[in-house]
Each structure stands twice: as C-alpha cells, then as structure tokens.
Amino acid sequence: LPTRRRYRRRRYLSMLSLPTTSCGDAAVVCGGLSPLLEPTLVLLLTATQQDEAEDDEDAADAGAASAAASKRRARGKADLRMELGKNDPYALLELDHLRWRATADDVRKSYRRLVLLHHPDKKAATAEEGAPDAEEDDEMFKAISDAFELLSTPKKRREFDSLDEFDDTVPTADDAAAGGFFGTFGPVFERNSRWSERGGCPLLGGEDAPDETVAAFYNFWFDFQSWRDFADADEFDPNDAGFREEKRWMERQNEKLRLKRRREEKARVLNLVEVSYSLDPRVHAMQLREKEARANAKAERNRQKAAARNAEAEAKQAAAERAEAEAEAEAEA
C-alpha cells in the first residue's frame, strides 16, 4: 500500500486539472501552464514515478517472500559442514589435535607429506605388486586435496571453523570460586581468542603479570573484534530460489539473522570480559594500590597545606612580635 506521503503527492497532483498530452511513456503537462508551476509539477510527476517504482519493488519483495515461505528450512552445523567438506579436513590432514590452532605452515607440511603417501602414481607402482583398493586410494588422494584447498583458503576455512563445535558458556563467580580464577577463565579466553579479527590476541596470563600487561589485556578484550560467521542462522538456501528477486530476498533475510547473531556474540564476549574484570585478583590489587596511592597523595597534600598554614601563622606571629618590639623601643625613646 502507498504510504501517507505517496498518497499526498498523488492527491496534490490530481488537484491540478491541467491539460496533458502523452510524450513517450511519461505524462507531460502542456498548454497554458504558468512557468512558476512547471518545476513543481515536474517534481510531483517525478516523485510519483519514483513512488510507483517503489510500489513495484515492494510488490516484487512480497512475491519473493510468498514464493520463499515454503522453502524455509533451518540447517544445522553438521549439514553445513557437510556442504563445505564431506569429510573433516582437519582429520584428513591429521591435524585434528590442533584444529583452529593449526597454522598455514602446519597445513602445508601435513598436506605435502600425505599427498606423497597417497599419490596415484605411487599407488600405481604398488598396485602392480598386488596392492588392492586402487579406487579407494584415488578417493583418499582427492579428499586430501579438497581438505588442503579448504584449509588453505582463508574465507572457506573461516566458514568451516565457524561451524565447528564451540563452547559459548561464560563462567560465573561460583565457577571461579570452585576452580580458581586463572584456572577457570584462562581456558575460556584462550578458546575465544580463535575469533579475534586482529592478530596478537593477548591471553589472561598469571597472577604475577605486570600492571601494564593486565591493562593491555583488558583494553584489547573490551574492544574485541570477532570474525565469527553464523551460517547456521540462515533460514533459506539461495540456491533453492526460483527467480532473481526471490534469491535476493532470501539473502537479505539470512543477513538479518546473521546480524542478530553477531550482536548476540558481541554481547556474550563483553559479558565474559566484564565478569572476568570484576573477579580478577590482579585488578583488585591494582585498584587497592591506586586507592592507597590516592589516599597517600591526599594525606601529603593535607600535610603540605597544614605546614603552609603553620608557616604563615608563625610568620604572622613573628611580624607581630617585631612590631610590638619596635613600638616599645619608640616609647622608651
């Protein structure tokens, strides 16, 4: 339906009972029109055409939404992982013990070692000696190559890592009391560091960390920037779309759902940092030292003020005594 603003434009235009003629696809006012009214009418005509185009776009969106309604399907992480790679690429490259911690060099070295072991040419030579299952060896070689391609492409690897199983829980004060602060929160920050967009993500450290290190740690995490993707939030698969407008509508809906999850993720990490900051014994010690330093500074300022007042009072007393002595000397003279 047209908005109130569009309705008013059309109402104003209908009130102008002016002769019109057709010029192409647009209606153009002609004959006896005051030059002062021409720009206004042109603007009204242009705005009306824009409104009609917006109405057409709204209608297309409505049609796309109606067509896509029956195609809504939530896909779990396991399904999406299967789409990215039928087999676990970390397991295929024997990096399952490292997973997201595996560096590009780790991936490259493991691939080179395994590709030599399962290369078809090498397997062909052993097959001549009676080794069976040549077909399985070829499939293994292809699977290893696919795994290397996935893990060596940053975008694909991020998509896969985002779908990996992950513990989102944030420890509480009771957890820290039971397991110790550093033993409870240290592993949590370490596993969440995998999502850091910036390199050099600092970890919690120990009780003997310098104040500067602790301050740098919390400054980084309070401004934590995550690259975590949320493909599992999608409700539509754009590949199921029957026409272009439906595909675009699906993509917009998916992006809205991902944006909501990214906001929730940001709030989750912020909550983790705030809870850690409130329980960190190093922060408590720093705050206590700062409080003592402020108290000592205040006491020193008060001491200096008192000393200044005493000096002023002594100076006044000495001046009064001098004045009194001078007065007595004048009287005797």
Side-chain angles (χ1 to χ4, degrees), residues 88 90-91 95-102 157 160-161 164:
D88 186 346
Y90 290 110
L95 296 171
D96 198 35
H97 61 293
L98 294 175
R99 299 198 73 77
W100 64 273
R101 297 182 184 85
R157 182 173 180 180
F160 184 86
D161 286 344
D164 212 353

Side-chain angles (χ1 to χ4, degrees), residues 105-125:
D105 193 48
D106 293 332
V107 173
R108 189 165 46 252
K109 286 180 179 178
S110 183
Y111 169 71
R112 288 175 178 173
R113 177 175 58 81
L114 291 170
V115 83
L116 289 175
L117 184 63
H118 296 279
H119 197 279
D121 292 343
K122 190 167 185 178
K123 288 296 180 180

Side-chain angles (χ1 to χ4, degrees), residues 39 152 195 231 242 252 280 311 314 329:
S152 59
W195 309 122
R252 288 197 298 273
D280 195 332
E314 290 174 359

Side-chain angles (χ1 to χ4, degrees), residues 46-120:
T46 304
T48 302
Q49 292 170 352
Q50 291 175 350
D51 291 341
E52 290 174 352
E54 291 175 1
D55 287 344
D56 292 342
E57 184 178 347
D58 292 342
D61 282 349
S66 177
S70 61
K71 299 176 183 177
R72 177 182 280 110
R73 58 187 181 93
R75 293 177 295 170
K77 290 185 176 182
D79 296 332
L80 293 167
R81 281 199 300 268
M82 285 292 291
E83 291 181 11
L84 285 172
K86 293 182 179 179
N87 300 300
D88 186 346
Y90 290 110
L92 283 169
L93 295 181
E94 298 181 359
L95 296 171
D96 198 35
H97 61 293
L98 294 175
R99 299 198 73 77
W100 64 273
R101 297 182 184 85
T103 64
D105 193 48
D106 293 332
V107 173
R108 189 165 46 252
K109 286 180 179 178
S110 183
Y111 169 71
R112 288 175 178 173
R113 177 175 58 81
L114 291 170
V115 83
L116 289 175
L117 184 63
H118 296 279
H119 197 279

Side-chain angles (χ1 to χ4, degrees), residues 4 6 129 155 179 219 235 243 260 280:
R4 184 179 295 275
R6 298 178 189 172
E129 300 172 3
K155 184 177 183 300
N219 286 335
E235 290 187 352
F243 51 97
K260 180 182 178 182
D280 195 332

